[in-house]
Every structure is written in structure tokens, then in C-alpha cells.
Amino acid sequence: MFTQYYPESAALTVELRDQVDAFIAGKWDTAKLTAHQTHKLREVVAFARDNSPFYRERLAGLTDQAIAALQPANLRNLPFTTKDDLRREQFNLLSRPLSEAWIFYETTGTTGVSTPCPRTNIDSLNNNTILTAYYRDIFSAHGDGQVIGISGPSELHSTGDTFGDVCRNLGHTVVKMWPHSPMVGFDRALELMRHLPLTGLFCTPGMAMHLAQRAIDAGLRPRLDFSLDLLLLTGELLSPSLLANIGLLWNAEVHNVLYASQEASVLAAAASDGRLRTAPLINLYEVIDPDTEEPVDFDDSGRCYGELVVTNLYTGAKPLIRYRTGDLVRMTQPDRSAAVPAPSVEAVGRVHDRLTLNGHTVSGYDFEDLLLGQFRGFCDYQITIERDEAGVDRVALLLRSDPTTGFPSVEGAVQQCLEELDTPLTVRFGTPGAITGTGAMVSWKAARVIDLRTNQSDEDEAAKNIAASRS
């Protein structure tokens, strides 16, 4: 409704909807997309240089003529923007005054200073149009009259507003519930899920498992006593093995529905083919080697791997230019069967979450997928790594398993870990501590991995503090 009071926003809504619908329908060829990205890139760089105190200094030597010659395929003369820049510069990153935003968010600040992330109507319309268009077919497969729960980390996070707006666009009822809030709690959340009942839920993978465990502890059966048909997961690492396990716990269709960050907004969203698809109408993507900072191109099979760098293509509150996300991704060019004709992406963990085991370096995503591949029906997990007296790295996997699903065999998991990582694996069953629920607030590694080979990091300490406060 607000767009009726702002003619520019109303016009932008129609323009963006028509653009994204035409793009998804395959009506944009490579030339049209390149022209769009080129125009938007030059517009955003000029806008940030002229209006952001940080970029005014950082891009001081960039002339109008140089901006007019910028091409999406060659941005190497523009400097990177880093997380340290965001923490240090704070409001100096903004290209619009805070008074032009419709809402204020910030990063969690669990391992450093929180950074401001206000949203203008331009920000929200660009990002939410993508989500609405990408999610449309996912929801439509389950019919009308859905009641969708949204569980977010805090009131200063965009989760509730973003998914609430998207569900409203698609005609679905929304229930915002924060189980970690003292005014809601897990018992009330489960009661709402049963009695409304909820047919879908946006939450983190950890929250999906935690809710299942709390239901089991209360004598309920997640697969039978709830009406969830659709789980829409985001905010944490989510390997195929973990996704399949959560689907089994709830007997529901599960999607890794969003790859985003509070500071950079939507980077990729789920399409009906089950893949996370990039949003090339609102972002420009680069993949670099995180150590050398050199660009990584698609190989002959249409794939590339490295750290994601993103440039926003809309003039919102804080457009970022060549922002180093710190995330490792695998990106694949689209094929003819793609639901959205954009590259797919797998976010495989932060650069500093990589682990080295007996000479093998592995991402968090691949490590989780490997260890959990043989198991289903668990409600939590934790990994411990230690080095024995002979200098051999050893891994212990602790699973919290629902006894009604049966006792899983561990032989396959042990053998696979030895074959792929030359690393002995021990599997135990028990109850991990509350720290495993902090992944969305801190990091996968701090929440899931106890690495006895290294000293405790700031992230480890932050995760422990959050877990203690929740307990």
C-alpha cells in the first residue's frame, strides 16, 4: 500500500516486476543482460562516489570518463570493499542519509562492531521482487491458503520483514515467531505450529532441528502431529545431507531458500528446480581466489570455485562495490532446464572456516555433507577434532538421534572419511551443548566444530557467550 503514497516507488514496483518476470521467462538474451548490468554498474559507481563519504575518498581518482568506460567483465581497477571497511567506516558507507530509509537494521556484531544496514524503498523493492518471483512456483506447488511461520534471529534483523513482505505479495498468511524470545519460547512456538496450523516455516537449519527435538521431548511426533509441508531454510551452512535429514524429520519438502547477508542483501534465491540462483538483475558477481585475489573464470564444464565478490546494481541506502563476502562458493552456469536462467550457486562456507585434516583441505559444506551422508533422523550434531601423539588428525562426530528412527550404522561414514580425507572417524550418540544453536549468529565452525588442535578464537568465545545467555 505504501507505494500508492510514493509515485516513484509505485512506478519502480511495476518496472522491476516486469523486468524480473521477463528475465525468468527467458526473454532476456546475453546482450540485453549485459547492457542492463553495464548501465546499472556505471550508475551505482557514480552514485556511491558522489554521495558516500567512504567511496568519495576511496574512488577519488575515478573520473566521469573512467566510470563511463566501466564494463561488468572488467572491474579490476576498482578497489575491493571489505568487512573491515564496513566495521571501521560505519555510517560513512551510506550513500543516502538515514532519514531516507524506511527501516534500520544492523549486523549481529557478535564478533566485532555491528554495522548499520538501513533499507530504503529502493533496496526492499529490488530485493523482494527477486524473492517473490523466484519463490512463486515453490509456493504454488502447495496450493492456496498457506500459513507460513517466520523465525528470525532478532528484531534488528531483516528476516521477518523481508519474508513477511514476500509472503504477502504471494497471498499467504504470516506468523512471526521468535522461539528464543522470552515472550514466545519454544513451547508456545510449537503450540502455534500445531493449532493454527502452520503449513510452512522460514527458519535456520539449526532451528528446524531444535524445534523437532523440542517436539519429541514433549511427546509429539514432528512427522505426524504437525502440518508442515514446506521448510524454507536459510542463515546457516546447509549441505545436501543435512537438508535431506531435516526433510525426513518433518516429512516436508525442504529448500535452501536464500543466500544473503545483512550488509549485501539478496545474493541468490531458491528456484523451483531446487537450486539457489543468482540475481544478475540486481547484483554483479565475481569469483576470486581468496589468497591471490586473482579472478577465477568458469572452466570448460561451466563451473568455478572461489570467494564471492558482489557489486549491488541499485542505488539504495548503501550500495556496495566489489564487496568481498568472505564466502567460498561453487558457481555453475545455467543449462536449458534451469527454472531461472541465471548461474546457480552453492555457498560452501566462509574462507576462514576451511579445515585441514591430515593434509587435506575441506570446506565446511563438504565436510558436513561427508560426515552426515550416512545418517538420517538426528536432531543435532557436533564435530570434535584432535591430533594424537603420532600427529594424526582424528574426528569424532556426536549425533543427537531420535530413537524412533532406528540406530544408524556407522561403518559407511567411517570408511568414507578414511577414503576421502585419510582421517579416522568415531561416531557417538548423545546431546551436544547449546552452542550448536549459535551458527546463524556467529559461524558454522564456532557452532559445530570443537578443534582441539588450535586455540580458542574470538568467534568461539562469542558463540559460548550466546549459548550461555540462551541457557
Side-chain angles (χ1 to χ4, degrees):
M1 181 178 176
F2 80 89
T3 58
Q4 299 306 309
Y5 293 92
Y6 299 91
E8 290 184 0
S9 292
L12 180 60
T13 300
V14 174
E15 178 187 358
L16 291 172
R17 181 200 63 195
D18 292 347
Q19 282 183 347
V20 176
D21 285 351
F23 175 75
I24 291 176
K27 297 179 181 178
W28 282 47
D29 59 16
T30 302
K32 183 175 178 65
L33 177 60
T34 300
H36 168 85
Q37 290 180 327
T38 302
H39 169 71
K40 291 295 184 180
L41 170 66
R42 295 169 181 175
E43 180 182 46
V44 164
V45 172
F47 177 75
R49 182 201 61 181
D50 294 343
N51 294 283
S52 162
F54 168 74
Y55 282 119
R56 187 179 301 124
E57 179 179 350
R58 181 65 62 90
L59 303 177
L62 195 65
T63 65
D64 290 343
Q65 292 77 12
I67 292 175
L70 286 174
Q71 295 291 333
N74 185 13
L75 300 180
R76 298 186 66 181
N77 290 331
L78 296 178
F80 292 115
T81 303
T82 67
K83 292 182 183 292
D84 286 340
D85 291 331
L86 270 59
R87 294 187 185 104
R88 182 185 64 253
E89 297 295 331
Q90 295 286 308
F91 287 90
N92 284 336
L93 259 295
L94 270 59
S95 292
R96 294 182 185 271
L98 184 61
S99 59
E100 290 188 15
W102 78 271
I103 196 165
F104 176 84
Y105 304 121
E106 64 182 20
T107 58
T108 57
T110 53
T111 57
V113 180
S114 297
T115 60
C117 302
R119 301 281 198 275
T120 64
N121 291 336
I122 291 172
D123 293 290
S124 294
L125 288 172
N126 273 274
N127 286 277
N128 293 1
T129 298
I130 292 293
L131 298 184
T132 301
Y134 283 30
Y135 293 171
R136 184 188 295 124
D137 289 345
I138 293 175
F139 278 105
S140 66
H142 295 269
D144 299 325
Q146 297 180 57
V147 181
I148 308 298
I150 302 172
S151 175
S154 77
E155 292 78 4
L156 283 171
H157 200 277
S158 60
T159 298
D161 294 321
T162 297
F163 290 140
D165 189 40
V166 170
C167 287
R168 190 176 187 180
N169 292 343
L170 294 172
H172 303 301
T173 305
V174 165
V175 182
K176 296 181 182 179
M177 56 180 200
W178 279 208
H180 283 298
S181 165
M183 296 300 292
V184 179
F186 281 87
D187 292 341
R188 179 57 177 157
L190 289 169
E191 184 180 26
L192 286 170
M193 290 172 65
R194 290 186 69 204
H195 293 162
L196 291 176
L198 292 190
T199 58
L201 177 63
F202 284 97
C203 66
T204 65
M207 178 60 71
M209 290 192 292
H210 198 167
L211 284 166
Q213 184 63 58
R214 293 295 288 258
I216 293 167
D217 291 344
L220 299 170
R221 300 161 299 177
R223 294 168 57 84
L224 300 176
D225 295 330
F226 294 82
S227 299
L228 286 182
D229 297 318
L230 195 58
L231 278 165
L232 305 151
L233 306 181
T234 186
E236 294 173 353
L237 204 65
L238 181 56
S239 67
S241 294
L242 186 60
L243 185 145
N245 176 72
I246 293 171
L248 175 68
L249 284 175
W250 289 99
N251 191 30
E253 179 181 316
V254 187
H255 288 269
N256 185 358
V257 78
L258 177 65
Y259 168 41
S261 69
Q262 187 82 306
E263 64 273 17
S265 294
V266 172
L267 302 177
S272 58
D273 58 7
R275 307 294 297 274
L276 282 170
R277 299 284 172 182
T278 58
L281 270 63
I282 65 169
N283 294 310
L284 197 59
Y285 302 89
E286 303 170 74
V287 178
I288 65 169
D289 182 303
D291 300 316
T292 67
E293 300 184 351
E294 291 298 311
V296 178
D297 296 324
F298 289 103
D299 61 22
D300 293 340
S301 64
R303 296 183 177 90
C304 64
Y305 169 80
E307 181 184 352
L308 185 68
V309 176
V310 65
T311 298
N312 300 135
L313 296 180
Y314 48 92
T315 54
K318 189 175 71 173
L320 298 177
I321 298 169
R322 300 201 77 200
Y323 175 59
R324 290 188 64 169
T325 62
D327 295 334
L328 291 170
V329 299
R330 278 194 288 264
M331 193 173 290
T332 305
Q333 290 179 324
D335 54 38
R336 294 181 180 178
S337 63
V340 174
S344 65
V345 64
E346 291 179 315
V348 300
R350 296 180 182 180
V351 171
H352 65 255
D353 279 353
R354 289 176 292 182
L355 292 163
T356 299
L357 299 162
N358 298 314
H360 299 269
T361 299
V362 63
S363 69
Y365 180 93
D366 292 330
F367 194 40
E368 177 184 88
D369 196 40
L370 170 67
L371 295 186
L372 303 181
Q374 304 290 325
F375 303 104
R376 296 293 180 268
F378 58 89
C379 290
D380 203 358
Y381 83 91
Q382 191 172 53
I383 300 163
T384 300
I385 304 172
E386 61 182 347
R387 182 168 292 152
D388 65 19
E389 294 179 356
V392 176
D393 295 324
R394 295 180 174 272
V395 172
L397 173 64
L398 177 64
L399 292 171
R400 184 167 188 173
S401 182
D402 173 8
T404 64
T405 63
F407 196 86
S409 170
V410 303
E411 294 178 2
V414 170
Q415 184 63 30
Q416 202 166 3
C417 194
L418 282 171
E419 290 177 354
E420 298 196 21
L421 297 176
D422 297 321
T423 299
L425 171 66
T426 302
V427 180
R428 298 183 291 112
F429 298 87
T431 303
I435 197 170
T436 58
T438 66
M441 303 295 291
V442 185
S443 74
W444 169 83
K445 191 174 182 181
R448 296 290 180 185
V449 179
I450 301 172
D451 194 340
L452 300 177
R453 304 169 303 172
T454 62
N455 294 326
Q456 181 172 279
S457 68
D458 291 342
E459 289 194 343
D460 295 330
E461 185 66 27
K464 286 183 178 180
N465 291 337
I466 293 171
S469 66
R470 287 176 172 176
S471 299

